[in-house]
Amino acid sequence: MTLRLTGAERGCAQARDVVRRTLDDWGLAHRTVDALTVVTELLANAVLHARGDGDIWLRLSLRRPGHLVCAVIDPSDSPPVYPHTSDPFDEHGRGLRIIEALSEHWGWTRRPPAGKTVWAMLRTDEPDVP
């Protein structure tokens, strides 16, 4: 599933709706909360750093046995920066920490001639119930 975002606020709301519907269609409704959180953080970073320089795309795909990949493509060449701050009152800088906590793996790749894809891989199996 691929979606081109149209405008930051409206596009992010549209992306969240598409994530909900797609995961429900794929039988992965139990992963919706984590996927929505990851996608929201990826999109917020893209909107913040791309600053209207071009299109932002969301891509959801199933890879490997048991993995959902949430990817956001943006026109910025700047790599994602993992914050070194530990101040709990900082307004920014928690997005990649949240993505790291909820995903099995995350990373980024350059997109020639410009831009990048930032992605996170989430397990799709049922969560352990205590």
Side-chain angles (χ1 to χ4, degrees):
M1 185 289 311
T2 303
L3 173 70
R4 178 176 170 246
L5 270 70
T6 55
E9 210 169 299
R10 196 176 119 214
C12 289
Q14 179 186 14
R16 287 189 292 273
D17 289 341
V18 168
V19 168
R20 280 186 199 96
R21 283 195 312 269
T22 300
L23 294 185
D24 191 47
D25 290 348
W26 290 352
L28 298 174
H30 61 282
R31 302 308 299 165
T32 300
V33 172
D34 288 349
L36 283 173
T37 303
V38 166
V39 165
T40 299
E41 292 299 333
L42 290 172
L43 290 172
N45 285 343
V47 167
L48 178 66
H49 298 290
R51 298 189 181 151
D53 291 339
D55 291 337
I56 295 174
W57 294 83
L58 167 65
R59 183 172 295 150
L60 297 178
S61 59
L62 295 173
R63 299 257 172 97
R64 297 182 183 178
H67 289 89
L68 167 70
V69 178
C70 305
V72 171
I73 302 157
D74 73 61
S76 172
D77 287 328
S78 300
V81 177
Y82 195 87
H84 296 289
T85 181
S86 60
D87 184 351
F89 297 108
D90 279 349
E91 282 188 42
H92 299 287
R94 292 187 202 98
L96 291 177
R97 290 181 191 274
I98 292 168
I99 292 166
E100 183 176 65
L102 294 176
S103 64
E104 188 165 89
H105 304 288
W106 76 274
W108 70 282
T109 54
R110 290 201 186 278
R111 295 186 57 88
K116 67 179 172 300
T117 301
V118 183
W119 54 268
M121 188 178 296
L122 286 72
R123 294 196 53 84
T124 58
D125 51 1
E126 292 283 345
D128 294 332
V129 178

